[in-house]
Amino acid sequence: MHGATTLLAWAGVLGLGQAACPYADPAALDKRQNGAAFSHLDAYKVDDSTGYLTTDVGGPISDQNSLKAGYRGSTLLEDFIFRQKIQHFDHERVPERAVHARGAGAHGTFTSYANWSNITAASFLGAAGKKTPVFVRFSTVAGSRGSADTARDIHGFATRFYTDEGNFDIVGNNAPVFFIQDAIRFPDLIHAVKPRPDNEMPQAATAHDSAWDFFSQQPSTLHALFWAMSGHGIPRSYRHMDGFGVHTFRFVKDDGTSRLIKWHFKSRQGKASLLWEEAQVLAGKNADFHRQDLWEAIESGNGPEWELCVQIVDESKALAFGFDLLDPTKLLPVEFAPLVKLGVLKLDRNPTNYFAETEQAMFQPGHIVRGIDFTEDPLLQGRLFSYLDTQLNRNGGPNFEQLPINMPRAPIHNNNRDGAGQIFIHTNKYPYTPNTLNNGYPRQATPQHGRGFFTAPGRTVGGALVREDSPTFSDHWSQARLFYNSLTRVEQQFLINALRFETSKLRNEQVKKNVLAQLNRVSHDIAVRVAAALGLNAPGPDNRYYHNNRTAGVSVLDSGPLPTVRTLRVGVLTTARSSAALNNARALSARLKAEGLVVTIVAEALWGGADQTYSTADATEFDGVVVVEGAEALFTGTETSPLFPTGRPSEILRDAYRFGKPVGVCARTARALNGANVPSTGAGVYREQRVERFVRDFKAGLETFKFIDRFVLDY
């Protein structure tokens, strides 16, 4: 991977070759017969819109007063109502996830584009138009459940397919690479990036000594670290990021032949990111920004979509590209293996209950189905144990798969019995294999009988027992440079700024120097620019890993206009002091809403159709900001009001411009822009009195999303 040859010139592009819930009530099944929407979770829903309060076992009660020995006497131990209510409350929370604690989920459907039996025996890919229910959970990694959505972090992208042959989980992230190469180092990574154990600070942040001490001592982290420090670490929304399976897996055909694959989810909304300042403001103004965005998009009928794709490589080429495909810190450039689009995933239904569904969803890489197999990736091998062990810890027993959100849509037959939380009532009195007393059931499923799962026959193992990394995993710097080279100049500046922000928070001088030494192996220019902010000198060039290669698909800003602007947010700034200005705001709002945009009319008070007050509004809430005719006085400095902080209207307009958003005035003059010190001309600034023409131009600005000429570069 060295030299000036671009990846675009490299050769090697490859050819390609029912179940029912055991507790479903008849009424729900009747709905299914009549074509109404039906979820396997419906049978577990409880409707409290009628009826009397009862105990957990159905006895009618009143629970607002405890049983006491006299009006002022002691509460009695015999008060079973008090004990049940308090004990249940005391145990309402299960332990939060050690990582990925902060998350949001939604239901949807995956639809296969074709019959893919020529590449895999996976049943959910076995027919064109075949639909499979899915549940997806998005998350941050490092923070607790109480942290903010917009923390800079790699983001989880976990997808469950409820296939007709069992549950299949792709437990991935919004970056194609991870920080470590061997799962045994995962506790070290998390201990390093989590808050300090003595003071529990900082929350959901890596800008502290222990994180960067680990990063600088474990250079395998550099590639994933660059992804996190770029726009991928602070996406505009869960809808505007891609997803990846991270590891290399195998597709296995019915005849036993297999090929290596990489999973990709490509956003059909396009990719978009926040600025770091936006993300910081939103963490305080609206810590639930990403959750709210996903929920409201689905509720509005604009649920997000991704195309599920794979890269496919012959197993003989695992080492053919200058790195090892089993190394989870490496991406497979699309120039080597193009994306094959398998189908589309659409989210269209929000959870009914966050805890029962999103919090209790137990994903694990070991949820595998026929036609898909593992590889010897040492990080994947460790995750296969760790995720199952984690679920046992969180739920106190092995029956977490019986929770409705985890239960498959395929029949369940096995000899597992008892344990905490057992809800099945098994009638088989002979739960062992082999048996004759139950006629040999449940029988063993094999590849030939019962479509049983099978490991790819061609997998082999060999070699001496060692506790070492493979020598093919030894290059930690070339792909970090590949990623950096593939960004636009503005994105490179953002990454530099992120590194400056993080390392300027460090206290230990030696850690700073160690970080610079590692950055210098990726790029001397990066090391020099970061060192300048730290008041240190960069090491001399270390060009062993320097190259000018680039790859497609990793840049956010270079991915073209957004395919759709539906559900993007526009702030229409007006004044409640003018009926004409309010009328203009309502007219513009109606026209923008017709384009599928979410419009908020902002004024001093909730009057005349205003949706939000200036005192509660901020530029970070909107993807674009417009001032209507009649509201100019709020931006010229001649109008003040006790209803909002001084200068707030101008601040919203000015910050929107600073953050690279489209801004404009739907008015005859540019007085509002001038009053807010916003240039009245330039890319992404719109001036037009006629509503139709303004909306047309402004919509194009939203498709651009960020106007990069407003951002200052080092050079």
Side-chain angles (χ1 to χ4, degrees):
M1 295 184 65
H2 310 299
T5 305
T6 67
L7 285 171
L8 292 173
W10 292 353
V13 174
L14 303 174
L16 288 179
Q18 320 281 337
C21 166
Y23 304 103
D25 82 53
L29 294 176
D30 182 61
K31 288 181 194 174
R32 176 188 283 173
Q33 280 186 337
N34 293 330
F38 179 85
S39 163
H40 83 298
L41 302 180
D42 288 347
Y44 299 90
K45 291 180 180 177
V46 177
D47 182 2
D48 289 328
S49 61
T50 61
Y52 290 97
L53 191 71
T54 73
T55 65
D56 284 345
V57 289
I61 58 168
S62 170
D63 75 344
Q64 291 304 291
N65 298 97
S66 58
L67 182 65
K68 297 180 286 293
Y71 287 114
R72 302 178 65 243
S74 301
T75 298
L76 299 183
L77 184 61
E78 75 174 59
D79 188 354
F80 70 97
I81 296 173
F82 167 80
R83 283 188 286 112
Q84 174 189 276
K85 185 176 182 179
I86 292 299
Q87 283 183 327
H88 199 288
F89 173 77
D90 289 346
H91 296 272
E92 276 185 359
R93 295 292 172 263
V94 298
E96 74 172 30
R97 291 166 169 86
V99 290
H100 297 281
R102 175 79 176 180
H107 298 271
T109 303
F110 171 77
T111 305
S112 180
Y113 284 155
N115 178 347
W116 296 105
S117 58
N118 62 321
I119 54 175
T120 177
S123 66
F124 74 101
L125 295 170
K130 184 169 185 176
K131 294 184 180 297
T132 300
V134 298
F135 184 78
V136 180
R137 184 178 184 270
F138 306 101
S139 58
T140 52
V141 177
S144 70
R145 279 194 62 192
S147 57
D149 284 347
T150 56
R152 184 187 291 282
D153 206 345
I154 294 294
H155 288 65
F157 196 123
T159 305
R160 168 163 301 152
F161 299 81
Y162 297 95
T163 85
D164 52 10
E165 293 189 336
N167 288 354
F168 169 55
D169 292 354
I170 299 177
V171 194
N173 290 327
N174 76 324
V177 293
F178 201 64
F179 295 86
I180 52 175
Q181 297 167 318
D182 190 323
I184 202 170
R185 299 171 193 143
F186 191 72
D188 302 303
L189 168 66
I190 300 306
H191 289 168
V193 302
K194 283 285 191 178
R196 281 175 42 167
D198 56 347
N199 58 21
E200 188 64 10
M201 297 188 295
Q203 178 59 245
T206 55
H208 54 90
D209 282 8
S210 63
W212 285 87
D213 184 31
F214 182 82
F215 297 152
S216 64
Q217 297 302 302
Q218 186 64 257
S220 68
T221 61
L222 288 172
H223 190 189
L225 186 63
F226 273 35
W227 279 79
M229 293 295 113
S230 72
H232 297 279
I234 42 175
R236 156 61 176 81
S237 74
Y238 296 136
R239 301 179 296 125
H240 291 93
M241 65 185 193
D242 292 341
F244 303 88
V246 179
H247 308 287
T248 299
F249 291 85
R250 283 182 168 91
F251 267 174
V252 188
K253 295 168 59 175
D254 278 324
D255 64 7
T257 58
S258 64
R259 300 175 82 183
L260 302 178
I261 65 140
K262 291 269 194 181
W263 295 108
H264 295 248
F265 291 94
K266 305 301 291 183
S267 171
R268 298 183 79 172
Q269 294 69 236
K271 290 185 290 188
S273 296
L274 301 170
L275 299 186
W276 178 227
E277 187 176 354
E278 286 182 276
Q280 290 177 291
V281 172
L282 281 168
K285 296 269 187 177
N286 184 359
D288 303 311
F289 183 73
H290 287 159
R291 290 182 175 198
Q292 179 182 346
D293 175 90
L294 179 65
W295 182 280
E296 293 182 351
I298 293 173
E299 288 296 295
S300 71
N302 293 288
E305 298 181 0
W306 290 263
E307 285 190 300
L308 177 62
C309 310
V310 287
Q311 293 174 285
I312 304 179
V313 177
D314 288 337
E315 297 212 24
S316 62
K317 295 189 176 181
L319 295 171
F321 307 118
F323 59 92
D324 194 333
L325 277 177
L326 299 184
D327 182 349
T329 69
K330 304 297 191 297
L331 61 80
L332 175 59
V334 293
E335 293 80 10
F336 289 162
L339 297 180
V340 180
K341 298 177 180 179
L342 302 179
V344 62
L345 181 153
K346 180 175 178 59
L347 299 182
D348 55 16
R349 183 165 57 86
N350 283 313
T352 300
N353 182 277
Y354 180 89
F355 180 81
E357 297 166 72
T358 304
E359 188 63 21
Q360 290 195 137
M362 306 299 171
F363 298 91
Q364 50 177 307
H367 284 161
I368 201 78
V369 293
R370 175 188 174 101
I372 300 168
D373 197 9
F374 309 115
T375 63
E376 291 65 42
D377 173 344
L379 180 62
L380 173 60
Q381 293 286 315
R383 291 179 76 199
L384 293 175
F385 165 79
S386 180
Y387 278 66
L388 174 60
D389 192 47
T390 295
Q391 314 310 354
L392 293 172
N393 175 61
R394 293 190 71 223
N395 290 276
N399 292 314
F400 58 88
E401 304 284 24
Q402 296 178 16
L403 294 168
I405 192 63
N406 298 319
M407 193 178 293
R409 313 294 175 90
I412 304 169
H413 301 291
N414 57 46
N415 294 323
N416 296 336
R417 291 295 186 269
D418 307 335
Q422 176 62 253
I423 67 169
F424 293 154
I425 301 174
H426 296 95
T427 60
N428 176 15
K429 293 179 288 186
Y430 311 103
Y432 53 86
T433 299
N435 73 69
T436 57
L437 296 178
N438 199 48
N439 297 315
Y441 290 100
R443 295 187 176 181
Q444 302 292 309
T446 67
Q448 295 76 29
H449 302 284
R451 286 188 56 84
F453 172 83
F454 62 99
T455 299
R459 290 180 65 180
T460 59
V461 295
L465 302 183
V466 296
R467 284 192 180 273
E468 297 179 33
D469 287 331
S470 169
T472 58
F473 284 25
S474 60
D475 175 8
H476 308 305
W477 302 273
S478 292
Q479 284 216 347
R481 186 177 178 102
L482 174 69
F483 174 79
Y484 182 77
N485 290 348
S486 303
L487 303 178
T488 65
R489 285 187 64 215
V490 169
E491 289 174 298
Q492 290 177 344
Q493 184 69 57
F494 289 164
L495 193 153
I496 295 292
N497 293 347
L499 293 171
R500 287 168 169 169
F501 176 90
E502 295 266 324
T503 55
S504 67
K505 296 281 188 178
L506 305 183
R507 303 292 181 86
N508 187 283
E509 292 299 308
Q510 187 58 51
V511 172
K512 294 178 185 177
K513 293 176 182 177
N514 292 344
V515 171
L516 291 175
Q518 293 296 347
L519 295 177
N520 194 54
R521 291 186 173 187
V522 178
S523 163
H524 183 60
D525 179 59
I526 295 176
V528 168
R529 294 163 74 179
V530 174
L534 300 179
L536 297 173
N537 293 319
D542 182 353
N543 62 9
R544 284 175 292 173
Y545 303 96
Y546 297 170
H547 61 79
N548 296 319
N549 300 332
R550 303 181 66 194
T551 185
V554 302
S555 169
V556 174
L557 292 181
D558 199 30
S559 55
L562 296 181
T564 177
V565 297
R566 295 185 68 84
T567 73
L568 291 189
R569 298 176 177 274
V570 178
V572 175
L573 309 186
T574 187
T575 176
R577 297 183 181 184
S578 166
S579 58
L582 286 169
N583 288 337
N584 291 335
R586 288 193 294 267
L588 179 60
S589 173
R591 185 61 189 83
L592 290 168
K593 288 179 179 178
E595 299 293 333
L597 296 162
V598 178
V599 184
T600 301
I601 298 176
V602 185
E604 301 95 320
L606 301 179
W607 183 261
D611 306 300
Q612 188 175 16
T613 64
Y614 281 113
S615 64
T616 64
D618 190 87
T620 55
E621 300 176 58
F622 309 121
D623 299 299
V625 171
V626 186
V627 181
V628 297
E629 190 159 21
E632 293 88 346
L634 291 179
F635 302 86
T636 59
T638 61
E639 293 271 349
T640 59
S641 171
L643 294 174
F644 55 80
T646 301
R648 175 59 60 80
S650 293
E651 179 185 75
I652 295 172
L653 182 58
R654 184 168 55 254
D655 283 350
Y657 179 82
R658 287 197 308 112
F659 296 153
K661 305 172 190 283
V663 299
V665 289
C666 191
R668 286 170 291 182
T669 71
R671 287 175 56 209
L673 296 172
N674 296 333
N677 292 320
V678 172
S680 57
T681 60
V685 179
Y686 302 95
R687 295 171 51 194
E688 174 61 52
Q689 184 181 10
R690 290 167 291 184
V691 171
E692 286 297 324
R693 181 170 293 183
F694 180 87
V695 170
R696 180 199 65 191
D697 295 344
F698 198 75
K699 180 183 176 184
L702 290 168
E703 291 171 352
T704 300
F705 196 72
K706 292 291 187 189
F707 290 87
I708 60 177
D709 60 319
R710 302 177 196 169
F711 305 124
V712 179
L713 307 180
D714 286 339
Y715 41 76

